[in-house]
């Protein structure tokens, strides 16, 4: 039976380890996070799988670290193109977090937001809209409209509508969210930059090339000031801006800068 099955998880839950092993598990997960952060999701998968198996064996199926590693593995599978396996793992992880933490816990909402993003990335846009709307409403109520997690969900909610073809609705949602982000965190926060880049992508998709180019230029300048001109996110934004100049539209309806905020993986504490 596959190692991620319920039987395998339950069977491994009774073997305790010492404190030093928790640090080792955290290090294995951190190794996967490092690969994921630079776009090497396929290389992150075995690291997350190893961390998950170790957490399962030493901490049990319901331990927060185990649920973190399982969620990371699911996200890496989706990012690497193994969408069916990734969605199945995400659904199981979300159900486990609801059972262990409750449906309104921030850790549960993190998993729900990741699944909404995954639905959008694999083209299941109706499911993406339904879930992202629900997560956004929950995070607004619990965390407030300008909390970083809420901004992530609000951006995802807009991008789900863009993926469904309603670019103007997406643009309106993104502009309102950017205003809230700038008020709370400034124009040169990563959230504000990602939102502005996706506004630029929507403007380009709507045929408003001059406005899109201006928005991209500001996003590139802000990213260079925050992260550096040679940072991968800045370089990606610059390439998208050039595509507007050359082709009149970005390569994708969704800016690649969204990956810095939406497709997140979680860190395991070593203590």
């Amino acid at each position: 039976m596959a190692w991620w099955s319920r039987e395998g998880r339950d069977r491994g839950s009774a073997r305790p380890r010492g404190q030093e092993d928790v640090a080792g598990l955290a290090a294995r997960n951190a190794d996967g996070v490092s690969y994921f952060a630079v776009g090497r999701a396929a290389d992150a998968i075995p690291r997350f799988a190893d961390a998950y198996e170790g957490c399962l064996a030493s901490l049990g199926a319901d331990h927060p670290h185990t649920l973190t590693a399982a969620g990371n593995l699911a996200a890496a599978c989706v990012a690497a193109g193994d969408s069916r396996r990734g969605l199945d793992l995400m659904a199981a992880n979300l159900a486990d977090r609801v059972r262990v933490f409750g449906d309104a816990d921030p850790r549960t909402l993190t998993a729900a937001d990741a699944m909404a993003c995954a639905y959008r990335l694999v083209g299941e846009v109706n499911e993406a809209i339904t879930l992202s709307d629900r997560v956004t409403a929950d995070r607004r109520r619990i965390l407030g409209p300008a909390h970083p997690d809420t901004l992530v969900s609000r951006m995802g909610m807009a991008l789900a509508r863009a993926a469904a073809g309603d670019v103007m609705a997406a643009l309106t949602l993104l502009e309102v969210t950017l205003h809230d982000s700038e008020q709370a965190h400034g124009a040169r926060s990563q959230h504000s930059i990602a939102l502005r880049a996706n506004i630029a992508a929507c403007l380009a998709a709507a045929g408003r090339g001059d406005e899109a180019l201006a928005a991209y230029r500001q996003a590139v300048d802000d990213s260079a000031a925050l992260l550096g001109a040679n940072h991968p996110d800045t370089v990606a934004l610059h390439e998208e801006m050039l595509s507007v100049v050359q082709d009149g539209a970005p390569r994708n309806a969704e800016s690649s800068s969204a990956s810095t905020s939406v497709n997140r993986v979680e860190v395991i504490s070593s203590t």
Side-chain angles (χ1 to χ4, degrees):
M1 181 173 287
W3 61 262
W4 63 85
S5 68
R6 173 68 64 180
E7 178 181 332
R9 292 162 65 182
D10 291 343
R11 186 175 58 243
S13 63
R15 242 174 51 209
R17 291 183 180 179
Q19 182 65 39
E20 60 182 359
D21 291 301
V22 175
L25 295 170
R28 278 182 265 172
N29 181 77
D31 196 23
V33 170
S34 297
Y35 279 101
F36 193 94
V38 295
R40 295 174 60 181
D43 292 319
I45 288 173
R47 276 82 179 177
F48 288 142
D50 189 39
Y52 173 75
E53 289 177 326
C55 287
L56 184 63
S58 62
L59 302 174
D62 291 345
H63 193 280
H65 291 351
T66 307
L67 297 173
T68 293
N72 288 349
L73 175 60
C77 287
V78 172
D82 192 355
S83 57
R84 189 68 267 160
R85 179 189 177 202
L87 284 172
D88 287 345
L89 290 172
M90 279 190 175
N93 185 244
L94 178 56
D96 286 343
R97 293 189 189 208
V98 169
R99 177 175 53 80
V100 174
F101 303 133
D103 58 7
D105 187 277
R107 292 165 292 187
T108 302
L109 295 177
T110 294
D113 190 69
M115 189 157 193
C117 175
Y119 278 139
R120 186 180 77 251
L121 293 175
V122 303
E124 298 184 17
V125 293
N126 291 332
E127 291 83 353
I129 289 172
T130 298
L131 186 53
S132 64
D133 284 2
R134 179 170 66 80
V135 175
T136 299
D138 287 342
R139 281 180 162 172
R140 272 182 175 275
R141 185 182 72 255
I142 297 166
L143 302 173
H147 187 279
D149 288 348
T150 309
L151 294 174
V152 167
S153 294
R154 292 173 68 183
M155 182 163 66
M157 182 173 67
L159 294 176
R161 281 162 172 76
D166 195 349
V167 175
M168 297 313 297
L171 183 58
T172 298
L173 289 169
L174 288 168
E175 288 173 340
V176 173
T177 306
L178 175 60
H179 175 269
D180 291 347
S181 180
E182 288 183 328
Q183 290 294 309
H185 308 290
R188 286 183 168 172
S189 70
Q190 282 189 284
H191 292 287
S192 296
I193 293 167
L195 285 159
R196 190 178 303 282
N198 281 290
I199 286 172
C202 286
L203 288 168
R208 295 159 62 178
D210 290 344
E211 295 173 78
L213 183 57
Y216 268 124
R217 281 178 174 153
Q218 183 172 346
V220 170
D221 289 346
D222 291 343
S223 183
L226 179 68
L227 303 171
N230 295 322
H231 190 278
D233 290 348
T234 307
V235 172
L237 282 172
H238 188 261
E239 291 175 351
E240 289 170 10
M241 182 180 71
L242 290 179
S243 74
V244 172
V245 174
Q246 295 167 358
D247 306 325
R251 289 184 300 277
N252 303 297
E254 176 182 331
S255 168
S256 65
S257 65
S259 64
T260 62
S261 295
V262 178
N263 300 334
R264 297 181 302 170
V265 289
E266 300 171 275
V267 175
I268 291 176
S269 169
S270 61
T271 58

